[in-house]
Amino acid sequence: MPIREHDLREIRDAVAKLCASFPMDYWRETDRERRYPTEFVTALTRAGWLSCLIPEEYGGAGLKLAAAAAILEEIQKSGANGAACHAQMYTMGTVLRHCSEAQKKKYLPKIAKGELRLQAFGVTEPSAGTDTSSIRTTAVKKGDRYVVNGQKVWTSRAEHSDLMLLLVRTAPREQAQKKTDGLSVFIVDMKAALNKGLSIRPIRTMINHATTEVFFENLEIPAENLVGEEGKGFRYVLDGMNAERILIGAECIGDARWFIAKATAYANERKVFGRPIGQNQGVQFPIARAYMATEAAALMVERAAQLYEQGKPCGPESNMAKQLAAEASWQAGDMCLQTHGGFGFAEEYDVERKFRETRLYQIAPISTNLVLCYLAEHVLHLPRSY
C-alpha cells in the first residue's frame, strides 16, 4: 500500500531539523569553493536517510520510494542541495530488483552503515548523449574477468563514491536483434580500480555538482560483479532511471517550494513607494501561478511513485513527473529572481545559487525534449521523430 502523506510527516520533520543544522552559509561556502558537502552527506548517512530504501535485513529502513521522495524534497525545500547524495537512492531501483543475493549481502549492509558509498551511475557517453543504445564502452569477457575500455561523461560524484553502477556493451550493436540488446550492468569497486585502469577527470560547471569524466583503459572487473544476465542491462537500468526521474521530480518540487516561500516572504517585507511589493498584482500573480504549477506537478510525482512502488509500468508517469516538476521549479526560480530584483543576484540571498541548481533539471537526467518525444511515440502513438 502506498505511503500516505500523513505517514511522511515525521520523516519530513526529522529531515528538516537535520537540514537546519547546515545554515545557508554552509551551502554558499561549498558552492563558492566547489567543495563536496561531506559533512552534510555524512550526517544524512548517520541518520539513516540515505539507506531508507535498503531492506531491513540488510541494515536499511526498508521504506518505499515515496519516503525517499519526501526526504529529497525536504532537503531541497530547506535550501540545501540533495544532488550530492541522491544517486544512492535512485540506483537502488537497479540494485534491489536485479542484483544477486550474494551481491546484496556483500554491498548493502556496508552501504547502509556508511562504510561504502554508491553514488556513481556510469551511463552517458560523449558520443551517445541520451541515445543510450549507442554507447561504445565495451566489456570483453576473459576467463573469470571482464576487461573494460571506454569513457563516460557527466558521471557525478565519481570522486566521492566507492562503488559505481556501470552500463557497458558486451555484444556489438550490429549483432543485436534490438538496439538495446547486448548492454550489461556491472558493479565497479572504484577505490580498487582507481589508477589501475580507471581514471577520473573533474568537469567544472556552473553548479557545484561534483561531475566528472571517467576513463576506462583495460580495467579488469570480476565476472561476479555482473548484475543479472549479460546483455539484459538496458532493462535493468530502466528501473533505476524511472526511480531517478521520480526522485529528481521530488527534488524539483522542493526547490519550487523554497523559491515560492522565499519570494512570498520578500514580497511581504520589501517596501517600495511606501507599500509592500506583494500588494501589487504584478508581483502576486507570478507567485500564485508558480504555486499552482508546483502543486499540480507534485500530484504527478506522487502518482508516479505509487505506480513504481506497486511494481506497475510507470515510464510515462515517471517522465511526466520529472518534466512537470522541472518546469515548475524553473518557473518558480525565475519568478523568485524577478521578485527580488537586483538582490536576487546577490550571493547572500541564495536565490542565484538555487536558480543555477534547479536549471539543470531541464536537461538532466533527461532533456525535456526527449520526454516529449517519448510521450508522443509511446503514449500518443505518433510517428517516431528521431
Side-chain angles (χ1 to χ4, degrees), residues 204-249:
R204 189 173 177 88
T205 64
M206 67 183 284
I207 54 175
N208 181 30
H209 213 260
T211 198
T212 67
E213 292 178 283
V214 181
F215 300 88
F216 307 93
E217 186 175 355
N218 296 321
L219 172 66
E220 295 187 358
I221 302 176
E224 65 188 31
N225 284 29
L226 173 69
V227 174
E229 296 181 52
E230 184 179 299
K232 305 293 185 182
F234 184 79
R235 179 168 60 87
Y236 301 160
V237 298
L238 283 182
D239 279 328
M241 288 177 175
N242 282 334
E244 181 182 36
R245 283 151 174 65
I246 295 167
L247 293 175
I248 293 297

Side-chain angles (χ1 to χ4, degrees), residues 29 95 258:
E29 182 180 309
V95 172
W258 184 88

Side-chain angles (χ1 to χ4, degrees), residues 248-265:
I248 293 297
E251 289 189 43
C252 289
I253 296 300
D255 277 343
R257 287 176 169 156
W258 184 88
F259 285 124
I260 291 166
K262 188 84 170 176
T264 300

Side-chain angles (χ1 to χ4, degrees), residues 68-136:
I71 291 167
L72 290 174
E73 180 190 325
E74 208 62 43
I75 289 172
Q76 301 303 111
K77 185 181 173 184
S78 76
N81 187 3
C85 51
H86 58 197
Q88 195 150 299
M89 294 187 181
Y90 62 68
T91 51
M92 286 297 127
T94 299
V95 172
L96 296 178
R97 295 187 178 190
H98 303 292
C99 278
S100 67
E101 186 61 27
Q103 289 169 334
K104 292 176 185 178
K105 288 181 177 179
K106 181 177 181 179
Y107 295 114
L108 290 180
K110 292 183 178 180
I111 293 172
K113 291 179 182 177
E115 295 175 7
L116 291 176
R117 285 182 186 164
L118 174 55
Q119 291 288 2
F121 201 15
V123 176
T124 306
E125 296 185 5
S127 61
T130 51
D131 183 6
T132 303
S133 65
S134 294
I135 65 171
R136 298 178 180 179

Side-chain angles (χ1 to χ4, degrees), residues 8-28:
L8 299 174
R9 287 174 188 162
E10 290 187 9
I11 292 175
R12 291 183 181 277
D13 290 345
V15 173
K17 184 177 180 180
L18 186 152
C19 291
S21 64
F22 292 87
M24 291 301 97
D25 284 346
Y26 173 82
W27 293 103
R28 290 174 209 144

Side-chain angles (χ1 to χ4, degrees), residues 192-348:
L194 194 61
N195 300 321
K196 295 179 182 178
L198 181 147
S199 58
I200 302 171
R201 181 186 301 165
I203 302 174
R204 189 173 177 88
T205 64
M206 67 183 284
I207 54 175
N208 181 30
H209 213 260
T211 198
T212 67
E213 292 178 283
V214 181
F215 300 88
F216 307 93
E217 186 175 355
N218 296 321
L219 172 66
E220 295 187 358
I221 302 176
E224 65 188 31
N225 284 29
L226 173 69
V227 174
E229 296 181 52
E230 184 179 299
K232 305 293 185 182
F234 184 79
R235 179 168 60 87
Y236 301 160
V237 298
L238 283 182
D239 279 328
M241 288 177 175
N242 282 334
E244 181 182 36
R245 283 151 174 65
I246 295 167
L247 293 175
I248 293 297
E251 289 189 43
C252 289
I253 296 300
D255 277 343
R257 287 176 169 156
W258 184 88
F259 285 124
I260 291 166
K262 188 84 170 176
T264 300
Y266 186 79
N268 277 319
E269 296 166 2
R270 175 67 168 165
K271 292 185 178 180
V272 178
F273 300 115
R275 54 191 270 164
I277 62 172
Q279 191 172 343
N280 301 312
Q281 292 179 345
V283 174
Q284 290 179 354
F285 288 1
I287 299 175
R289 287 186 179 277
Y291 176 79
M292 286 192 294
T294 300
E295 294 306 303
L299 292 174
M300 181 55 73
V301 173
E302 180 182 353
R303 172 63 176 157
Q306 288 176 355
L307 291 172
Y308 187 92
E309 290 173 359
Q310 295 165 3
K312 296 179 180 179
C314 62
E317 289 80 8
S318 299
N319 279 281
M320 286 188 287
K322 182 267 173 186
Q323 172 100 352
L324 293 171
E327 289 180 347
S329 68
W330 180 240
Q331 178 183 349
D334 189 56
M335 171 277 298
C336 187
L337 185 61
Q338 190 72 20
T339 301
H340 281 74
F343 288 109
F345 292 87
E347 183 185 73
E348 66 181 285

